[in-house]
Amino acid sequence: EIVLTQSPGTLSLSPGERATLSCRASQSVSSSYSAWYQLKPGQAPRLLIYGASSRATGIPDRFSGSGSGTDFTLTISRLEPEDFAVYYCQHYGSSPPGLTFGGGTRVEIK
Amino acid sequence: QVQLQESGPGLVKPSATLSLTCAVSGASISSNNWWSWVRQPPGKGLEWIGEISHIGNTNYNPSLKSRVTMSVDTSKNHFSLTLTSVTAADTAVYYCARAYAILGIYYFDYWGQGTLVTVSS
């Protein structure tokens, strides 16, 4: 079973700053099956990035994803007030089939 | 516009069975996608429960497999989750989601708003 470890647990930043979120897999995984989501209280999760680096429809270009193998990164180039939320990485394994989420990174206002 | 909406009891007694349904609109549940359930216990992260295809193939989280059953009703364009022998640890917001799983890519592109299920006597 693949374990995804996100770091840091909490990121305290000011609007306009750059946020770098890490997701490390316990073994090498396919980038195609990796994604990032944003979750705010009372709202449905929102897909940000799929295939490790492709932005979902309607996602601002300040959000970018990168990585391969065991290390993946979500970068928010300049934080906007609406970006303060919890972010989760996800990976789907095909053998055996199953999906794992990371533990999440909270991006909070400093 | 694709929309998913969860429905079911908000309160379930310990040792009872939790049953939820996800109604899909704006898309056919018979399309080439997988349909999933994800939950978030209070103060914790997201946990994948499992998925079902339009023809009823299923994959479940190994930690819940012995208690989970998913089904799909193409005539009603909805899919369902049952979780047996619930405990307080099953208290969570339950989300349904559509998985885009084509051409070697997998991600959840549409989600329901979530429904809080509390396990308590």
Side-chain angles (χ1 to χ4, degrees):
Chain A
E1 180 187 344
I2 294 170
V3 176
L4 299 179
T5 302
Q6 290 188 240
S7 62
T10 301
L11 204 48
S12 298
L13 295 169
S14 301
E17 290 193 296
R18 181 185 188 89
T20 302
L21 287 67
S22 172
C23 177
R24 176 163 289 178
S26 56
Q27 59 187 275
S28 184
V29 298
S30 169
S31 300
S32 297
Y33 293 137
S34 300
W36 290 89
Y37 302 88
Q38 177 192 68
L39 185 54
K40 295 180 179 179
Q43 296 186 18
R46 177 191 185 196
L47 174 68
L48 300 174
I49 301 289
Y50 65 91
S53 60
S54 297
R55 260 189 308 277
T57 302
I59 301 303
D61 61 7
R62 64 180 182 272
F63 290 92
S64 64
S66 63
S68 63
T70 60
D71 293 304
F72 298 86
T73 301
L74 175 70
T75 302
I76 311 171
S77 59
R78 296 174 314 279
L79 283 164
E80 296 288 340
E82 62 268 28
D83 299 336
F84 292 92
V86 182
Y87 294 84
Y88 292 91
C89 59
Q90 164 243 295
H91 181 264
Y92 185 86
S94 57
S95 183
L99 187 139
T100 304
F101 288 102
T105 291
R106 178 179 303 276
V107 179
E108 64 177 25
I109 299 176
K110 185 174 182 180
Chain B
Q1 180 182 358
V2 179
Q3 293 185 315
L4 289 77
Q5 180 65 58
E6 306 89 351
S7 62
L11 182 64
V12 180
K13 294 187 184 303
S15 78
T17 295
L18 179 161
S19 295
L20 296 173
T21 295
C22 181
V24 180
S25 59
S28 171
I29 205 164
S30 298
S31 61
N32 194 15
N33 293 288
W34 286 75
W35 305 91
S36 285
W37 290 95
V38 174
R39 70 181 183 179
Q40 183 180 29
K44 297 188 177 181
L46 298 173
E47 179 181 33
W48 180 73
I49 300 171
E51 63 182 355
I52 187 166
S53 72
H54 69 283
I55 57 172
N57 294 328
T58 55
N59 296 303
Y60 299 140
N61 185 324
S63 68
L64 298 169
K65 188 174 183 177
S66 63
R67 300 193 291 130
V68 171
T69 302
M70 293 183 184
S71 61
V72 61
D73 188 331
T74 55
S75 66
K76 295 182 179 178
N77 217 44
H78 75 206
F79 62 106
S80 300
L81 165 71
T82 61
L83 181 65
T84 61
S85 304
V86 297
T87 69
D90 295 308
T91 294
V93 174
Y94 285 76
Y95 297 98
C96 57
R98 186 180 84 166
Y100 182 92
I102 302 172
L103 300 177
I105 283 184
Y106 190 107
Y107 55 85
F108 296 124
D109 55 357
Y110 293 99
W111 295 72
Q113 283 296 113
T115 186
L116 174 63
V117 178
T118 301
V119 178
S120 175
S121 55

